[in-house]
Amino acid sequence: MPPLLQRLKRLLPYIRKSRAGLLAALGGAAVTAATEPAIPWLLGRLLDQGFAGGGMPLWVVPVVIIGLFAVRSGSGFVAQYGLAWTTHRAVLQMREKMFEQLLRSAPAVFSQQTASGMTNTLVYEAQSGANQLSASLLTLVRDSLILVALLAYLLTLNWQLTLIVGLLFPAVAWVMRVLGRRLHRLTVEGQKATDSLAYVVEENMLAWRIVRLHGAEQQQGRRFGGAADRVRQLMMKAVVAGGTMTPVTQMLAACALSVVIVIALWQSRSGGTSVGEFVAFVTAMLQLVAPAKHLSDVMAPLTRGLAAVERGLDLIDQSPAEQGGPHDGGRVRGDIVLRGVGLRYRDDAAPALDAIDLHVRAGETVALVGPSGAGKSTLVNLLPRFVEPTSGSITLDGVALGDWNMLALRRQFALVSQDVVLFNDTVAANVSLGAPMSTQAVRDALQAAYLLDFVLGLPEGLDTLIGHNGSQLSGGQRQRLAIARAIAKDAPVLILDEATSALDSESERAVQAALERLMQGRTTLVIAHRLSTIEHADRVLAFEGGRLVEQGTHGELLAAGGLYARLHAMQFRN
């Protein structure tokens, strides 16, 4: 199967549900193609009968011409609308599938691809590909049928000359195949270069404060310019590859046409054909040039459109869904056991976690401390399976994490991180994320996070939009809104990763009191650099270099004089 047809075949699962539009488009294109030979036929009849004083009534000419173009106009519209309807519905299904796949894909996908690249594929390239495919496929189908109809008509007029015309097509097909492959490769490279350009823009939009603070505008400008110039170079190479198809095809067509006309003139002079047949044949021959040119012109946008849509299909194929088990035991007690757990992010890197043995009892509050990079965040990310261990096992209430249904597993955890993530939605929607709840439940969660009075003072109250990642709120307000979301979830296991880091002293005391009430009866893992906030934890775990080096109560570890005592002394001395 030709490569073009193989790539088109990948779209079939998304087109099957829109077969009505596709059939309408094919029917309209077939009617348009069937009317094409009527023009040279009518010219031939006029020359042989009309101008020669034959019996053709004069009123037949305008009726036939007007009727012919009315039919062509109607069938052309049906073909265009039907194909556009089909392709856009197919892209809608593909977009929904892509987004669904991203929401369910393994976490490793998000470390392997950039957010700007995935956004570019899902939003822009899918739409651009649909637009180009719709127009290109219409031209491909319609003009291919026109060529078939004209060739069939030419065969009825003079089969010998038509065979000469047929010799043109293998040469044109070879040219299109060679240049089409090069164009496809350049288009794919151009898409990757565009992703890199978008990533430079994304980084600078997110880090604009750092760029200006360090006076790095010129440096980043040169970086952007280099990426943009790479896109320009690839686009120009693609233009050369696509633009070569048309002149080469036209030259081949001109050679075949000149040979055919010379032979047709020789046959006409020898009395083999009438004037009308000669004009009809030459007119039909000339009509072949336009669809042949369209087919050569359409290869470039068709290749670009297919490459854009294929990126979406590749994103679906290369984003495997997370694999969970069948277990769904309802609400857990919160008993967590790690046995010999190790993790390496890369084979050649030092272990992020090394042989961790740990038992966190149900309802226990455990604090994780240690220098940056010690493995604290890595350990808590193992529990909801945001990362997977490379060795060892983890159980929750005696059931291995791999045996849990993913949705059921993650219902057991609530997370408040120092990197707060909020959605550009209402306050209420951010609090009740993933689980619709009553207005009173939202108010109670905000009250527990000491944020209700502030929210009720906003213009729209609970329905106030908070902007991109809560940009309309202060840092402390964003943190408390994230805490309210964790309170509203009411999960049996809490993960607090520097949950009060962005709060002022007064707000921290209030929220700390709310968190302490929330922790009662729940298993809680607290990552804290501010050691004063974890003095009352049931147990403190000290990590260094990916290993659990000591554990005990606050008092026991201070008395031991180890890592925790050194960190405590350093912090309070400062």
Side-chain angles (χ1 to χ4, degrees), residues 5 35 430:
L5 292 181
T35 60
N430 275 277

Side-chain angles (χ1 to χ4, degrees), residues 2-252:
L4 179 62
L5 292 181
Q6 289 180 346
R7 295 200 292 270
L8 284 171
K9 188 178 178 180
R10 296 183 68 187
L11 294 174
L12 287 180
Y14 302 94
I15 294 176
R16 287 195 181 103
K17 294 182 180 179
S18 307
R19 280 175 288 191
L22 185 61
L23 290 174
L26 290 174
V31 171
T32 302
T35 60
E36 193 76 14
I39 296 173
W41 173 84
L42 182 61
L43 285 175
R45 297 281 291 181
L46 284 173
L47 286 172
D48 285 343
Q49 296 184 22
F51 291 104
M56 179 182 290
L58 294 179
W59 60 268
V60 171
V61 177
V63 169
V64 171
I65 293 176
I66 294 173
L68 179 64
F69 280 91
V71 170
R72 287 172 60 86
S73 299
S75 62
F77 174 79
V78 170
Q80 183 175 2
Y81 183 85
L83 196 55
W85 186 80
T86 301
T87 53
H88 286 292
R89 275 182 61 89
V91 168
L92 171 63
Q93 295 171 36
M94 191 176 70
R95 269 180 168 163
E96 291 174 342
K97 179 69 174 177
M98 277 192 287
F99 193 67
E100 176 188 354
Q101 195 78 1
L102 286 176
L103 292 178
R104 297 170 54 243
S105 62
V109 170
F110 299 97
S111 61
Q112 295 166 355
Q113 302 192 48
T114 65
S116 57
M118 289 188 285
T119 301
N120 187 45
T121 298
L122 200 152
V123 178
Y124 302 110
E125 290 194 348
Q127 188 62 54
S128 172
N131 293 337
Q132 292 188 78
L133 273 182
S134 180
S136 302
L137 286 176
L138 176 62
T139 301
L140 182 66
V141 173
R142 182 192 61 208
D143 286 81
S144 295
L145 292 175
I146 288 174
L147 279 176
V148 171
L150 288 172
L151 285 172
Y153 176 67
L154 287 172
L155 280 170
T156 63
L157 289 178
N158 193 320
W159 65 269
Q160 296 97 334
L161 293 179
T162 305
L163 290 179
I164 298 175
V165 176
L167 296 176
L168 168 70
F169 292 100
V172 172
W174 181 81
V175 170
M176 287 185 174
R177 183 176 182 180
V178 172
L179 294 177
R181 284 180 175 176
R182 174 172 170 77
L183 182 60
H184 181 264
R185 179 177 59 80
L186 291 171
T187 301
V188 172
E189 290 181 12
Q191 289 169 337
K192 293 178 180 178
T194 302
D195 283 350
S196 299
L197 180 64
Y199 185 62
V200 172
V201 175
E202 178 189 4
E203 280 192 320
N204 279 271
M205 295 304 99
L206 294 176
W208 64 271
R209 293 182 180 88
I210 298 299
V211 171
R212 297 185 186 185
L213 187 65
H214 288 266
E217 291 90 346
Q218 291 186 354
Q219 178 191 27
Q220 293 301 312
R222 289 192 297 271
R223 184 181 170 209
F224 176 84
D229 189 57
R230 172 65 176 162
V231 174
R232 180 195 65 81
Q233 291 174 3
L234 289 169
M235 291 300 103
M236 290 308 301
K237 289 181 180 179
V239 168
V240 171
T244 305
M245 291 184 183
T246 299
V248 171
T249 303
Q250 287 180 330
M251 285 302 298
L252 291 172

